[in-house]
Structures are given as structure tokens and as C-alpha cells.
Amino acid sequence: MPGFAQRVTLGRSGLQVGPLGLAGGYGVGAGAALKAFDRGVNYFYHGSRRAAGMARAVRELVAGGHRDELVVVLQSYTRWPWFLERSIVRGLAGLGIDHADVLLLGWFNSPPSEALMERACRLQEAGAVRCLAISSHHRAAFAGFARDARLAVLHVRYNAAHVGAERDVFPALPSEGRPGVVVYTATRWGGLLDPAKMPPGEAPLRGRDAYRFVLSNPDVNVCIAGPKNDAQLDEALAALDEGPLSKEEEARIRRIGRHVHERAWLR
């Protein structure tokens, strides 16, 4: 079975990215981040947990002449324009770079204030960031975000236990000038891998299965992995080699996802 494409276009951002992204704030060190880069992972999410391991990896890659291959994401949850700029300036200094490729406005269930958007656009115009992204846990908000030409990338929660984006988000995105779609929580915070949460007699999913489920959806450009250790990273990277799911695999994973979702309130 063929693997996933090595590079895809991240919607109207125009950025060239590997289908698997990496969040550095959950435990992996610089060596693991460099290993991921060697496997084609270049969407480096340096979020609210700006861990030293990813910072070291970015610095090493830049020093080695790989800056143009990296897509560096800096996130801020702030609602205050002045603090947004301060956060990005500090983030850039910590990475030793002069611009981020993506500024992610974190967890907006309604549109950001115009003052915040103006400050974000000012950072973009000054060359501190290349494009703007937004995340939300309110699926209905994404249709409006997709119509805002200032927002080039959407970060969406989607996994086998939370498939609502298939109904409420992906169909609402325009076919022309489509924003990039980046997905997070592929393993449902590990719940899809937990033997105690499986249907009776069903083996738990592997990490690679959860990532392959997300990446098999043609509406998804990038799936972010947030490994805690090297073993979890290896499991995520294995998804790249195994490629899209078969129909039988997809049916099994959806069955497990429904079970986990329906019984979440019991846990």
C-alpha cells in the first residue's frame, strides 16, 4: 500500500508541508524533532508550551541551512493586541528566527476582535509572520472563519471519536480559495489507544491507526502529532509509510470511535 504524499499545499496559505506535523510541547526532545524532520515532517507547532527541545531543533535546522524547508507555527491564546505582539516577538527570539510562517490565534469560538486582527495583520505586514491561522472548539464558527480572507489556515479538532467536522466543518469550506486544514487530537488524548475503552473483544488502536484515519480524509492537509516520547513519535511516523486506510480498516476504526464517544460520559 502506498504511503502518504511527502508534500501537500496547505490551502490558500500556499505553504508546502508534510502531511504529519509535530507539536513539541509534550515531551519529545531535539533529537526526536530532527528525526521527524528527516522523515519529511516540517510543520513545527511551537504552541503555548514552547519547549526547549523544539527550540533547539529549530535553531539547529536553521543553522544547517534548512530554514526555507521549515514551517514554524507560533500560537497565542491572548485576547489583548499588545500581548499578541509581545508573545510573537518573544517566540521568534527564543527560536532564533526573524519570522514565523504561521501565527495561530488559539481557541476562538467566535470571531477575534478587530483590534486583535489588526495587530495580527500588522505583524504580517511587517514580515514577522507569513500567514494567519485560527483554532476553535465550536465547529459552527469555521464557516465564518473560512470566509475571512485574512485567515489562511484552520486548526480543527477531528478524530475517530469526534467526527463532527465531517458534517459541520469540511462541507462548509469553499472549493475555491480553500483555507488549509490542520487537525489535532488524532488519538483523542490517548483514549482511542486505551484497551479499557475498547468494545468487548476488540484490540485497541495503535497510534499509527489514529493518524492514518485522519490523514485518509481528503479534506485534511496536516495532522499534528503530539508525542510524549520517541516511541510515540515512531508510531506516528509509521503512519506515513502505511498510507491511507483500507475500507475494512476504516470501518473498524469508526466502530471503535463511536464506542469511545458514546461511552465517554461513563469514564
Side-chain angles (χ1 to χ4, degrees):
M1 181 180 295
F4 293 103
Q6 291 190 350
R7 285 288 180 268
V8 298
T9 301
L10 187 55
R12 63 192 181 208
S13 76
L15 296 169
Q16 297 299 303
V17 293
L20 190 70
L22 180 67
Y26 297 94
V28 293
L34 294 171
K35 176 181 179 179
F37 180 80
D38 288 341
R39 291 290 309 279
V41 176
N42 71 331
Y43 195 82
F44 275 27
Y45 170 78
H46 202 45
S48 53
R49 298 175 182 174
R50 294 178 179 173
M54 177 162 280
R56 287 196 300 271
V58 169
R59 284 179 172 274
E60 185 169 332
L61 288 168
V62 170
H66 298 290
R67 177 64 186 95
D68 290 345
E69 300 168 58
L70 279 173
V71 175
V72 177
V73 185
L74 287 179
Q75 176 179 265
S76 177
Y77 286 110
T78 189
R79 269 53 176 167
W80 293 282
W82 65 271
F83 194 78
L84 176 65
E85 185 166 346
R86 181 181 179 184
S87 173
I88 297 308
V89 169
R90 285 186 172 183
L92 295 176
L95 294 173
I97 56 178
D98 61 5
H99 73 278
D101 300 282
V102 179
L103 164 53
L104 174 59
L105 304 175
W107 202 335
F108 280 86
N109 291 338
S110 58
S113 70
E114 276 305 305
L116 189 73
M117 287 300 298
E118 288 174 6
R119 186 64 63 95
C121 290
R122 190 184 308 170
L123 287 166
Q124 187 177 21
E125 291 164 1
V129 299
R130 292 179 62 186
C131 68
L132 306 182
I134 196 165
S135 70
S136 178
H137 286 269
H138 182 51
R139 294 193 297 269
F142 284 107
F145 295 155
R147 291 192 295 270
D148 189 334
R150 297 170 296 183
L151 298 169
V153 179
L154 308 178
H155 275 229
V156 183
R157 183 181 71 162
Y158 173 60
N159 58 58
H162 295 121
V163 295
E166 296 176 351
R167 178 187 65 246
D168 301 326
V169 179
F170 303 148
L173 302 182
S175 55
E176 297 293 330
R178 189 180 182 87
V181 175
V182 177
V183 165
Y184 57 93
T185 65
T187 69
R188 194 184 176 272
W189 309 285
L192 288 167
L193 318 181
D194 186 347
K197 296 182 179 180
M198 296 298 104
E202 187 74 73
L205 298 183
R206 301 169 298 174
R208 69 189 69 183
D209 301 323
Y211 293 113
R212 289 174 65 213
F213 173 83
V214 170
L215 290 174
S216 294
N217 188 316
D219 288 308
V220 174
N221 301 128
V222 177
C223 178
I224 294 180
K228 295 180 180 178
N229 52 49
D230 289 10
Q232 289 185 0
L233 174 63
D234 288 343
E235 192 64 27
L237 292 174
L240 297 176
D241 295 327
E242 295 195 10
L245 298 171
S246 67
K247 291 182 179 179
E248 294 76 16
E249 289 173 315
E250 180 182 354
R252 173 178 176 261
I253 291 173
R254 286 188 180 276
R255 183 170 65 250
I256 289 173
R258 285 193 299 270
H259 180 89
V260 170
H261 179 74
E262 290 168 359
R263 287 155 181 79
W265 66 275
L266 295 173
R267 302 293 177 180

